[in-house]
Amino acid sequence: MRTNYMTPPSQEMIRWVNGTSFCFAIHVMLNKRSAKTAECLPPGTGKLINLAVPFSELLGNVTINLTAEDYSINYSMITHIHYVNTTKWRGQTTYCFQVTSELNSNTFYGMEPNAALRRVIDEYNVTEFLCLLPNGLPAIIIFNETITTKIPLAHITSHTSEHGVQELVSYELNYFNVTAFNEAVS
């Protein structure tokens, strides 16, 4: 009897700021196949908030209200942070924390032609083991995230779970590796 095993997916992500836009590039490998995407998001988009979440947990309890033309979002987050211990990343001491966040967003898309799809509610439950370098840069992140998306008028609910490990590949102060960046976004 032959059993087919699926190779665990791997993902590389780069984030940067281009003027006032938040940009990212993602490279995903799954079963010897790969896909790449790069995108820049203008301020005030829902995706921007979702991408910024890993860096905003340390803000504590926060509420954000954004309004743009034909778009509004109310976003709230409650975070509990507990110091755990220290560990090493490439010979450097990191300070590790257990981070638990409950995030809720209520989005209204005024331009959506289907009235049932105009209001979207997202609920996130995120647990992370986060290890920071002395300068505050995340070196290791072990995460577990559950997302529930509801579209009330259309009676649609979906559930997504993500978990994995993110590790800082390298960094040097005052140095930007253009070659590695171009490989990731090409």
Side-chain angles (χ1 to χ4, degrees):
M1 175 185 220
R2 184 178 173 172
T3 305
N4 292 330
Y5 292 99
M6 191 161 112
T7 306
S10 67
Q11 175 177 302
E12 298 172 340
M13 179 181 287
I14 293 176
R15 298 177 175 111
W16 72 97
V17 175
N18 182 10
T20 59
S21 296
F22 182 81
C23 304
F24 65 96
I26 300 174
H27 177 234
V28 178
M29 274 301 268
L30 178 63
N31 289 336
K32 298 182 183 179
R33 294 184 181 180
S34 67
K36 291 183 180 181
T37 185
E39 188 173 356
C40 288
L41 304 171
T45 63
K47 285 184 181 180
L48 175 62
I49 289 176
N50 296 340
L51 283 172
V53 164
F55 298 102
S56 63
E57 281 134 355
L58 299 179
L59 294 174
N61 300 347
V62 64
T63 300
I64 300 171
N65 292 298
L66 298 172
T67 303
E69 185 176 336
D70 291 324
Y71 172 87
S72 68
I73 185 168
N74 177 292
Y75 174 85
S76 64
M77 175 174 57
I78 298 173
T79 302
H80 302 282
I81 303 171
H82 302 283
Y83 175 75
V84 178
N85 62 10
T86 62
T87 191
K88 297 282 186 181
W89 175 84
R90 304 210 176 165
Q92 296 184 54
T93 299
T94 62
Y95 301 91
C96 301
F97 300 85
Q98 181 73 39
V99 182
T100 305
S101 296
E102 294 177 15
L103 306 93
N104 294 291
S105 70
N106 193 340
T107 308
F108 181 80
Y109 301 93
M111 292 178 58
E112 173 62 50
N114 182 346
L117 301 178
R118 288 186 183 166
R119 182 171 176 231
V120 177
I121 300 169
D122 290 310
E123 298 171 355
Y124 301 81
N125 289 302
V126 181
T127 303
E128 292 182 348
F129 182 74
L130 173 67
C131 296
L132 304 174
L133 291 166
N135 64 4
L137 190 63
I140 303 166
I141 303 172
I142 302 169
F143 66 92
N144 185 18
E145 180 176 332
T146 303
I147 305 165
T148 302
T149 300
K150 299 175 185 175
I151 305 174
L153 291 176
H155 305 291
I156 297 172
T157 300
S158 68
H159 301 280
T160 307
S161 292
E162 297 179 5
H163 58 276
V165 177
Q166 296 176 341
E167 185 174 346
L168 182 64
V169 175
S170 68
Y171 83 96
E172 291 182 43
L173 293 176
N174 301 319
Y175 173 74
F176 183 74
N177 188 334
V178 175
T179 304
F181 176 78
N182 288 336
E183 287 175 4
V185 297
S186 64

